[in-house]
């Protein structure tokens, strides 16, 4: 079980398994392929399922869209646990009692405690089996679904790395919203993120301009739009600012904020 101070933290089975995998190698990158293979052994999930699982874990750990203290996204590679981890050994003291006749034979209290312990173990096993058979949380998710499309390259030259990296980074940032989920299929989405990027300069620190727009999938109505400029060296900061502004305009960064009408 995961605890924050004296308070237990509720986690779905997939999110808890993800946390354990990241804690095996704190500070090291765990690739998306490895996470998909270990979390979904039957190969029934895709990258969007992993992104949703990461979002669930981040929310349980108290991370926001602008703060990544624990689960850190490594663009184009995977994720790592970014905070220091200390292993604490737990030991129980050996308690010895004298050879007293009254302790040689278990009394009714001991028998009661033994029966109660067996009942607890049985209940825990039944709960574990029930959770294991439950569908993943994304299968029946009532939140608004958003699909991130490829961004048009307005640079006038091939920018393959940026074209591939920007949608992935935006997907990771937007998936942190409490009332928004990111899916790969635009045909099943309520909202669609589209836009373009422009890389200025060929040598030295290049400036990147992002023009993003979120539209209603059913009506085509624009519900959020922005332009953000930054440098290629600080691409993650640029994408983070753009995603935070989009979430603010959509008003889905909080648990109780309204969603755009579907």
């Amino acid at each position: 079980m995961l605890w924050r101070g004296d308070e237990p933290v509720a986690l779905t089975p997939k999110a808890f398994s993800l946390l354990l995998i990241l804690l095996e190698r704190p500070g090291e990158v765990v690739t998306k392929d490895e996470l998909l293979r270990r979390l979904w052994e039957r190969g029934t999930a895709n990258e969007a399922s992993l992104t949703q699982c990461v979002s669930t874990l981040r929310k349980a750990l108290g991370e926001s869209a602008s703060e990544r203290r624990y689960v850190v996204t490594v663009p184009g590679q995977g994720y790592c646990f970014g905070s220091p981890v200390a292993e604490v050994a737990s030991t129980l003291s050996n308690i010895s009692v004298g050879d007293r006749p009254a302790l040689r034979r278990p009394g009714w209290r001991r028998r009661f405690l033994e029966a109660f312990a067996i009942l607890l173990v049985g209940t825990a096993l039944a709960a574990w089996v029930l959770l294991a058979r439950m569908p993943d949380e994304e299968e029946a998710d009532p939140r608004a679904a958003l699909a991130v499309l490829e961004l048009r390259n307005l640079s006038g030259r091939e920018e393959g790395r940026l074209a591939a990296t920007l949608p992935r980074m935006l997907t990771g940032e937007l998936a942190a919203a409490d009332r928004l989920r990111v899916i790969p299929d635009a045909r099943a989405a309520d909202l669609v993120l589209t836009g373009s990027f422009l890389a200025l300069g060929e040598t030295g620190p290049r400036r990147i301009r992002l023009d993003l727009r979120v539209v209603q999938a059913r009506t085509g109505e624009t519900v959020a739009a922005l332009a953000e400029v930054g440098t290629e060296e600080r691409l993650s900061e640029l994408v983070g600012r753009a995603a935070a502004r989009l979430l603010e305009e959509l008003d889905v960064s909080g648990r109780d904020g309204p969603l755009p009408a579907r």
Side-chain angles (χ1 to χ4, degrees), residues 88-235:
V88 179
S90 176
T91 59
L92 296 176
S93 301
N94 293 325
I95 302 175
S96 61
V97 291
D99 188 15
R100 293 179 292 176
L103 297 177
R104 290 178 180 174
R105 187 184 307 169
W108 69 271
R109 288 188 178 87
R110 180 173 176 181
R111 290 196 297 271
F112 174 79
L113 291 175
E114 290 174 346
F116 185 70
I118 293 174
L119 178 62
L120 284 180
V121 172
T123 302
L125 286 174
W128 180 84
V129 171
L130 180 62
L131 287 174
R133 292 179 178 179
M134 289 178 61
D136 291 338
E137 58 270 17
E138 64 267 20
E139 292 181 0
D141 200 324
R143 296 174 298 171
L146 179 141
V148 179
L149 303 184
E150 293 183 0
L151 303 182
R152 289 182 294 118
N153 176 18
L154 303 181
S155 307
R157 58 183 173 276
E158 184 69 23
E159 293 287 352
R161 189 185 70 85
L162 283 175
T165 300
L166 286 171
R168 287 200 300 263
M169 296 177 70
L170 285 166
T171 296
E173 293 291 340
L174 294 172
D178 291 327
R179 301 194 65 203
L180 188 70
R181 59 192 175 98
V182 181
I183 63 174
D185 188 359
R187 294 170 298 179
D190 304 304
L191 304 169
V192 176
L193 171 63
T194 184
S196 62
F197 71 91
L198 174 64
L200 302 173
E202 298 184 1
T203 60
R206 299 198 302 172
R207 296 184 64 78
I208 307 296
R209 176 188 170 96
L210 288 180
D211 289 276
L212 304 176
R213 186 164 62 103
V214 177
V215 301
Q216 290 280 359
R218 182 172 57 87
T219 65
E221 177 187 357
T222 298
V223 294
L226 60 84
E228 192 75 38
V229 178
T231 64
E232 188 173 14
E233 291 179 333
R234 297 187 175 181
L235 190 62

